[in-house]
Amino acid sequence: MSNTIEKALLRQKEAERLKKEAEEPSAEISNEIESNATISDTPQVEEIQSAESKKNKEPNSEKQVETALVNDDEEESGEAQFTSQRFDIDIVDLESRGFVSLHSTRSQINEEYREIKRKLLANAFGAMSRTLTNPNIIMVTSARPSEGKTFTAVNLALSIAAEQDKRVLLVDADVLKPNTLRTLGLRERSGLMEYLLGDVKHIGEVMFRSNIEKLRVIPAGRSHHLSTELLASGAMHELITEFSTRYADRVVIIDTPPIIGINESAVLANFAGQAVVVVEEGRSKLSDIEKAVERLNPDMAIGFVVNKSLNSSEQTGYYGYHYYGSDREGEEEPAPKA
């Protein structure tokens, strides 16, 4: 009886051992499968995340593509993101009307404006620039109307646009009688006043590219009875600071109203580092020129363009350039007549 019980217990233990051995391979296989699944899942997640990240970086939308193209053309800035409008200037027509030529011809007017711009650029970027505030902001004005200030502003912009390492922004700030676009053969558009009034949020929306690669234009926009206050506003001050500091190679030419009796020009004189006063030989009065200088910022570099000046002895053209206040620190003697 005892032997029978012992044999039965031994058979039971043997059966349990066999059963346990039979179950262990299944568990190992299951663990191996689970381990493999865990290892293979990791790269899949990483691949999905990488693909999603790449998708987010790619400029898939038209807006992203447009922004990318704009930033390729100009340095990334608030201006560049909105400067999409373009002026097509008839360069041949300008040349036929006596403006600076952008072709290979060496015309008299080209040489005269080369001489004028050399002094302005030296003041804007040379040793003189350390003594001026906003030296690359140049206002072009005259004592009285119809002395050729817009003609001079446009020619300076064209001449500077021909520089290899400079670009120029031409701003029509003669908000009382805008003439820059008309001079360029273009119709009036929204411009500076709309920005200052808040009708447009970004200055780039009224900054027009042109078919002249390094030239941008901001029109004056519509007239407003508070134009003086708008030009004296904090928004204008911030805009001038933006113009002066955004690009190290930028020159800003501002066509302003005649300075005698017009408050807008006196306000703008507080922003510019240089002033070009256009005087017409045989027409501008010395007393008017003196009054004009008195209304300018005394800390500015002030130069004169003598318009329609014919020097028969030298048989050279219509424009001379002279500098006011040659006793300024670091300033050269007045330039000879062109």
Side-chain angles (χ1 to χ4, degrees):
M1 183 72 175
S2 177
N3 290 336
T4 303
I5 292 173
E6 288 178 358
K7 289 180 180 179
L9 290 172
L10 288 173
R11 285 197 298 271
Q12 185 178 356
K13 289 181 179 179
E14 182 65 16
E16 289 176 356
R17 184 182 66 80
L18 292 174
K19 182 180 178 180
K20 185 177 181 180
E21 288 178 356
E23 290 175 352
E24 285 178 355
S26 298
E28 290 175 1
I29 293 171
S30 176
N31 291 338
E32 184 178 354
I33 292 172
E34 184 178 352
S35 176
N36 289 339
T38 303
I39 293 171
S40 63
D41 282 348
T42 302
Q44 289 176 358
V45 171
E46 290 178 352
E47 289 173 5
I48 291 171
Q49 290 175 343
S50 176
E52 191 68 26
S53 176
K54 184 177 180 181
K55 181 180 178 181
N56 291 336
K57 291 181 180 179
E58 290 177 351
N60 292 323
S61 69
E62 292 181 4
K63 184 176 181 181
Q64 287 174 312
V65 170
E66 182 180 355
T67 301
L69 291 173
V70 168
N71 288 338
D72 283 343
D73 184 62
E74 292 190 27
E75 297 177 25
E76 186 176 357
S77 70
E79 293 174 11
Q81 292 177 9
F82 294 96
T83 309
S84 59
Q85 302 180 87
R86 173 185 166 100
F87 281 142
D88 286 318
I89 299 171
D90 190 337
I91 299 172
V92 174
D93 177 65
L94 283 179
E95 293 175 3
S96 70
R97 291 191 282 132
F99 286 82
V100 165
S101 170
L102 295 176
H103 296 141
S104 58
T105 56
R106 291 183 63 90
S107 64
Q108 179 177 311
I109 192 170
N110 279 32
E111 296 305 310
E112 289 164 347
Y113 273 92
R114 281 191 178 108
E115 182 175 349
I116 294 170
K117 77 174 175 181
R118 289 269 75 84
K119 179 64 178 179
L120 296 171
L121 293 177
N123 286 345
F125 302 103
M128 183 74 172
S129 64
R130 294 193 295 269
T131 70
L132 301 172
T133 301
N134 298 336
N136 60 332
I137 307 293
I138 304 168
M139 64 177 288
V140 180
T141 189
S142 59
R144 301 288 183 182
S146 304
E147 294 186 292
K149 66 176 183 60
T150 300
F151 182 80
T152 299
V154 169
N155 274 319
L156 281 174
L158 293 172
S159 186
I160 294 172
E163 292 287 308
Q164 296 300 303
D165 58 353
K166 297 290 182 289
R167 49 183 159 182
V168 60
L169 173 62
L170 176 60
V171 181
D172 189 352
D174 190 347
V175 295
L176 302 178
K177 191 179 178 181
N179 194 37
T180 298
L181 292 192
R182 190 180 300 110
T183 299
L184 290 170
L186 304 166
R187 65 179 179 84
E188 294 297 333
R189 314 285 179 89
S190 296
L192 179 62
M193 293 305 292
E194 280 75 10
Y195 173 76
L196 295 177
L197 287 165
D199 294 345
V200 297
K201 293 183 178 180
H202 302 279
I203 190 62
E205 296 179 61
V206 291
M207 181 185 293
F208 292 79
R209 300 177 182 220
S210 75
N211 52 320
I212 301 170
E213 181 183 359
K214 296 181 179 180
L215 174 65
R216 302 286 184 271
V217 181
I218 296 179
R222 72 175 187 268
S223 298
H224 195 274
H225 66 285
L226 294 177
S227 58
T228 301
E229 287 76 11
L230 290 167
L231 291 173
S233 67
M236 185 65 182
H237 187 274
E238 291 175 3
L239 186 61
I240 291 294
T241 301
E242 169 83 5
F243 288 162
S244 179
T245 60
R246 169 67 72 175
Y247 299 112
D249 61 348
R250 172 186 273 172
V251 179
V252 181
I253 304 294
I254 304 179
D255 182 13
T256 70
I259 200 163
I260 295 179
I262 307 294
N263 290 321
E264 283 81 355
S265 294
V267 168
L268 291 167
N270 293 320
F271 297 133
Q274 301 190 66
V276 173
V277 181
V278 180
V279 297
E280 182 177 341
E281 187 171 50
R283 181 172 180 268
S284 299
K285 298 178 180 179
L286 182 59
S287 59
D288 286 345
I289 297 171
E290 291 174 344
K291 289 178 183 177
V293 171
E294 288 173 1
R295 291 176 63 83
L296 293 172
N297 186 341
D299 295 326
M300 304 173 78
I302 304 172
F304 294 88
V305 169
V306 182
N307 188 21
K308 303 175 185 177
S309 171
L310 181 63
N311 188 328
S312 58
S313 62
E314 296 177 4
Q315 296 181 348
T316 59
Y318 303 91
Y319 307 94
Y321 189 58
H322 301 268
Y323 243 77
Y324 171 80
S326 60
D327 58 341
R328 288 179 58 91
E329 182 180 353
E331 187 164 340
E332 300 173 5
E333 292 299 315
K337 209 172 206 180

